[in-house]
Amino acid sequence: MTHALALLDTLTRPRLLIKAARIGAAQYRRDIHLGRLLDIEPLPDSGAALELLIEIEAALDDARRRRSAEYAVARHLDLLIAIMGEARLIRAAMAPEGATPAQGMAPAPVS
């Protein structure tokens, strides 16, 4: 799980895509968004979900870089929103007890 969080710190994606995902992450609802993106029941824990999302997003980013006709920017944005949302949930769970969000949560992945 911490490996997945460390991997997020190294991702580089277009600024506009990241900016839009940050805006969308504020409205992230795990039960609605994650279920739609992964299409599995029951939903995995945040660590497993984050790893799956990163894997799917990497393939989609590869399609973007290759300028594939199958690339869908809306799906890419949905995946990045879910990645940021799951990362925030993990970081919140790892925060010391009694910490405020500013103390215990690192910012969403930047690139």
Side-chain angles (χ1 to χ4, degrees):
M1 172 168 42
T2 55
H3 170 69
L5 290 176
L7 180 62
L8 291 181
D9 293 334
T10 65
L11 287 181
T12 56
R13 300 297 182 258
R15 283 185 202 192
L16 185 58
L17 197 56
I18 293 298
K19 191 179 272 192
R22 282 188 182 138
I23 293 167
Q27 303 298 318
Y28 178 69
R29 291 195 41 210
R30 187 174 208 274
D31 55 333
I32 295 172
H33 298 106
L34 190 60
R36 182 173 44 81
L37 289 170
L38 296 182
D39 195 30
I40 56 175
E41 288 290 329
L43 294 177
D45 64 54
S46 289
L50 183 59
E51 289 180 12
L52 286 169
L53 291 166
I54 289 172
E55 186 178 312
I56 295 166
E57 190 276 338
L60 197 54
D61 191 61
D62 182 56
R64 177 188 66 83
R65 291 173 190 261
R66 288 184 291 110
R67 298 175 187 232
S68 171
E70 289 133 22
Y71 174 72
V73 71
R75 175 137 172 94
H76 200 173
L77 183 58
D78 283 344
L79 284 164
L80 288 171
I81 289 168
I83 287 170
M84 288 180 184
E86 292 299 315
R88 285 181 180 166
L89 291 173
I90 292 169
R91 287 179 173 131
M94 292 173 37
E97 200 160 315
T100 63
Q103 293 170 325
M105 287 178 52
V110 222
S111 294

